[in-house]
Structure formats: C-alpha cells, structure tokens
Amino acid sequence: MAPGSPRSAKDGALPRQARRALERQLEYQQVKARAAAGHEDDYIARMRARAARARAALERIRPIAADARVLEVGSGAHGLVFYFGATRGVGVDPLAAHYAGLFPLWQRRARTVAARGEDLPFADGMFDVVLCDNVVDHAECPARIVAEIARVLAAGGLLYFTVNFHHAIYSVAARLHSAWNAAGLHFEIGPFADHTVHLTRDSARALFDRLPLRILSEHGDVADAKSLARRRPPRHMGDHLTRVFFKNALYEVIAAREPIA
C-alpha cells in the first residue's frame, strides 16, 4: 500500500475492491479539501440543510431528545452528525483520521472513530438514533452494516437510512467490472471502482430482511433520477445510457428497533 493510503482496523482483510474504493474516496476528498479552502461557509450551509432534512424526517415520527445518543455510520468527510444538533454525537468511518485533518472545522463538532461499519466498536443497544446516509454501497458488505446498525440501536431507537439504487443492468456491469479487475485486467471505470455494489430497489430493501427493524416509512421513486438524466446535458456515453436505464435513484428508510427479547 502506498504511503498516505487509507488504513483501518482489519485493513489487511479487506477485499481489493473495497480497499480500492476507500483509496479512491480519500483521493477525491483530498482534492475537495483544497477546493473548499475559502469556501467553508458554503459547505457548512449545505451540511446544515442536509442534516436538518434528516432530522425533520425522523421527528415526523417522534421528537429527538436533546441528550439523545446519536451515531452516524459512514460519517465521511461531510456527514450528517456534524450539524445534526446532537450533544452526544459520534461518527464512524474507516477514513475518520484522515478526514479530521482534511476538514477540521466541522469534523471536530462530533467525536469520530476510525472503524468499519461491518464491525462497529460499540455495545449492543448503545444508541438512540443511527444515521447512515448513502454509504453502504461503498463498503465490503452492506448487509452486515445494516445488521450491525440493528445491533447497536436501542429498543425503540430510530434509524435514518439512505442508499442509491439503480436499474438492474448496472448490477450486472458492476459484477463484470469486479471480475475483470480480480482477474488482473486492471481497467477501472469510475462509478464501478468507487462502489462495491450497485443495488436495485429490491436488493436495497432486502438489506432489512430478518432484522429486528420495523420500517416506518420508505421511499424509492425513480422518477426524479429519470427526470434529472433527461435534463442534464450528456457529457459522455454513460449519460446517454442513464436516459434509458435509470441510475442513482434514492431509497430512503426510517425504521425503529424492535424491543429486545
């Protein structure tokens, strides 16, 4: 691994694809940090707006206590937890140590822990609210992350979860991309190198199967993704493809942890 490449707990056990997705994410955020210099207020305004939307969605179910224990799984460079209004907020991300140096202005607003979502370093039922905003498709095992979220969420606790889903053709393409790179033909196509999986709506919904999570609301409409693809001027062949086969539709779930037996 090259100097400055991301490292995390159990890093050596990561499959190549998951490790490469982390490396690409760090490279992207290093460039973004340089671009953000002098424009921090703009970034903060967008982060506040995103966090406020997530909190409002949860509070349509019930109010969040001022001292609620809030965890964001995959807090990343610009996560929800930093402006969620939590006094007991924690962010978990494999690249947390890197992001603390790249974006100190907001990263210091919450405690962050360098760990993988598949192996959360917390006791069962430790959090009242868990946030996971469009990150599991960058990770080694999305299903294990959702299972870990269910484990650390207290009985009756709330989950705010989103992930992008796509037409099934991209799932097939992603598997082919993974196979040829695993075979030693190292040719990366950005969207497939940045993600470990391209979920369909059904496979996104299946992440919650057989878990003690009661889905209170869910939304996953492809109309917005199709409309955006039609309005955006095509930059390359991939943009033409999305006009036929939709990409990056948002699946949003709010769920509650069932009582612990």
Side-chain angles (χ1 to χ4, degrees):
M1 187 172 290
S5 296
R7 299 196 65 86
S8 64
K10 302 184 180 179
D11 185 65
L14 277 178
R16 180 191 180 279
Q17 186 178 5
R19 188 172 64 250
R20 183 62 183 137
L22 279 178
E23 291 170 350
R24 287 176 62 91
Q25 182 61 209
L26 179 57
E27 291 163 4
Y28 171 72
Q29 294 298 345
Q30 287 169 333
V31 172
K32 199 170 182 179
R34 292 192 289 271
H39 304 281
E40 290 86 356
D41 287 348
D42 295 336
Y43 281 78
I44 290 170
R46 289 193 292 269
M47 292 167 67
R48 285 187 187 277
R50 287 177 48 243
R53 284 195 297 271
R55 183 165 186 136
L58 290 170
E59 291 194 320
R60 283 194 286 272
I61 305 299
R62 64 171 173 269
I64 297 170
D67 63 346
R69 302 164 298 173
V70 178
L71 171 68
E72 183 169 14
V73 177
S75 52
H78 312 90
L80 300 173
V81 72
F82 303 112
Y83 290 97
F84 191 77
T87 59
R88 302 170 68 187
V90 180
V92 164
D93 196 282
L95 301 175
H98 295 276
Y99 293 149
L102 289 172
F103 303 102
L105 188 60
W106 49 83
Q107 289 277 324
R108 64 191 178 204
R109 291 176 58 89
R111 181 167 73 93
T112 57
V113 178
R116 293 164 55 209
E118 294 91 344
D119 298 287
L120 294 174
F122 305 111
D124 296 359
M126 192 169 173
F127 295 94
D128 305 302
V129 174
V130 177
L131 313 168
C132 187
D133 187 31
N134 209 6
V135 296
V136 300
D137 51 350
H138 295 271
E140 176 189 359
C141 185
R144 204 162 96 205
I145 292 175
V146 181
E148 277 287 271
I149 286 171
R151 180 184 67 79
V152 302
L153 194 56
L158 292 177
L159 166 64
Y160 176 83
F161 176 92
T162 70
V163 70
N164 280 337
F165 69 97
H166 319 270
H167 189 283
I169 194 171
Y170 298 103
S171 180
V172 175
R175 289 195 293 271
L176 288 172
H177 182 273
S178 178
W180 76 55
N181 277 277
L185 303 174
H186 297 318
F187 175 70
E188 292 184 334
I189 299 173
F192 300 115
D194 293 336
H195 298 78
T196 54
V197 64
H198 275 62
L199 298 169
T200 63
R201 192 186 191 283
D202 287 345
S203 58
R205 178 61 179 79
L207 296 174
F208 295 85
D209 288 352
R210 296 179 297 278
L211 292 177
L213 293 169
R214 178 165 51 96
I215 293 180
L216 304 176
S217 71
E218 64 179 323
H219 178 77
D221 192 346
V222 304
D224 287 345
K226 288 181 175 179
S227 175
L228 178 61
R230 288 192 295 267
R231 293 196 312 269
R232 176 188 295 147
R235 300 159 298 174
H236 45 64
M237 183 58 68
D239 285 344
H240 288 285
L241 190 64
T242 62
R243 293 184 172 190
V244 181
F245 304 107
F246 76 89
K247 197 172 190 298
N248 293 331
L250 191 69
Y251 180 60
E252 178 188 81
V253 166
I254 296 175
R257 177 65 159 88
E258 298 283 15
I260 298 172

